[in-house]
Amino acid sequence: MVSLPPPSLQKQVTVMSMNLSKKLDELQRGDRQYETTFALNEIRIQLQELTKSVESCQSEVSEVKRDMVAIKHELQTVQQVKEEIEELRGYVDRIEEHTYRRKLRLLEQGLTGFLSYSILAAVLGMLQFGYNTGVINAPQSNIEYFMKDVYKSRYNADMLDENVKTLYSVVVSVFAIGGMVGGFSGGMVANRFGRKGGLLLNNILGITGGSLMWCAKVANSYEMLIAGRFIIGINCGLNTSLVPMYVSEISPLNLRGGLGTVNQLAVTVGLLISQVLGIEQILGTNEGWPLLLGLAVLPALLQLVLLPVCPESPRYLLLTKQWEEESRRALRRLRASNQVEEDIEEMRAEERAQQAESSTTMFELICSPTLRTPLYIGVVLQLSQQLSGINAVFYYSTNLFETAGLTPESAKFATIGIGCIMVIMTLISIPLMDRMGRRTLLLYGLGGMFIFSIFITISFLIKEMIDWMSYLSVVSTLCFVKFFAMGPGSIPWMITAELFSQGPRPAAMSIAVLVNWMANFLVGIVFPSMKTALDNYTFLPFSVFLALFWIFTYKKVPETKNKTFEEILALFRHGNGRVSFRDSRLYGSMLNSVNALEQHLPITEQSGLVVTEEKCHQQESSGSEHSSRAGDTVSSQPPPLPPPRFPNSAV
């Protein structure tokens, strides 16, 4: 603060001057020596005071000069800071423009032959999952007869029908228990052996499980059948974690939605194949059902032949293993071009954006405030897939149609119709995924399933009053499956991989797949009892779940179409994900530019920036009053810029 001279100094000098003049006038008029001496003493005292005042004034003037020099220096510093801020602003704008151009180039990438081959080889794992989900449906009566026969040969007594049903439900549901084990292990396998390496090792389980089921009748052991279903369940659980991860990481940005839907297409093709082969005219017989189950070895053997030619995921090579040259080679093969700098740069941007979250464990993922919201969304979407009632249709469709009034033969062909509808609608949804967007298709799918689940319940209630109502039940079930294939069938697998960056993705997939298989197991175990208890109202609980999942999707699920992993990460760092494309692109590029600038700062300033950013996050988390005013609107403000390098003087 600048020190100013006392305001009374000038007045004091004026008064002393007037007094001095007055005394001199008195001396001129006086004639006595005493008065002259007294007046001269007073003059001398006042002159001394005047001298002191002048000296004090000079000292204060010097201080003012020093303060003025300091102010001038600080003004120069402020100007310098202003110039640095303008320079940083320009640099951020250039980075943002460069990032946008890079993204446009990524959106121009096309589907190459080798990329198609790699995806085909990978999704054989999802075909395995679909085949083993549906294969147990048609030969139910044959398997139950086999279990009765084994029991009678062992104990020379007939097995009670209730025990047969219970044992068959174990055969159905133990597949889901194996899926939980495999799904939970998926993240660890993906990080340790890689996406491709994990898939190759997983085929050993596929061959083992298929062989056990194939040999169960020859060995006269339903325990072998149960063990085979459990092992093939582990295989399918690992596939549901590794395959979507691999496909998502090798796909170009503009094709990621459509190619991600190929996962579900492989599942539906596997379901259809199992349903066609399961009819009595082919393998749905007492002699043919072991081969029907044992054919699960074929996808595993085929993948062992095709997959070794494919490259490992470039993201895994670059971001997890730090093998840049191997990542470049993999990208050149997948893109059929030497121009892979945009992909490398995009992966580097993702790496910088998620450095604080690299190698995230499942516990850290659950505890992270930034990652909790996308994990919450991923888990609920997996539940929406299983608790929608679709697995009740997959597992028990033949029995369901018989209950609706169809003959056993017609019921099996109606089940095949379910598989055909699934394949056709999944094919249709592939181009729609990158046009309409994930969120839109998910809302359409859940809404359609809700409507037709109500129709299924109505048809069950009045089927005894109106003869043709059984056919309404079949049509409603087919439409129910159609809307499932449009959205909830494929999107949860794909969007869970999209919501997370490279570090936390494996752990997130493990948790999401575990939840999916747990719900799968729950439906497989509970549905027969629920069907007995609720009778014609069997699908009503699923209707309630579908309504809740539709509301959740509308309120919470963001659109990830044409967004880089970096931009998706930015959505959840500063909001609930409901932002426009422009806002997310701007924020993502600003985040990228700040991270790029951070590399050029000295070590001490980098640590200071980290502390500053942490404080900013704390302030945002504690600013509930502001967020209540803002509602659900996501802040599109850019992240804090790095502090400019000021001179030592304080502003």
Side-chain angles (χ1 to χ4, degrees), residues 264 421-422 425-426 429 480-490:
Q264 182 63 17
I421 291 290
M422 287 279 289
M425 288 308 302
T426 306
S429 69
F480 182 84
V481 171
K482 164 190 162 185
F483 280 100
F484 173 80
M486 179 185 293
S490 58

Side-chain angles (χ1 to χ4, degrees), residues 205-217:
L205 294 174
I207 295 171
T208 303
S211 301
L212 285 173
M213 292 188 293
W214 196 345
C215 299
K217 187 174 183 180

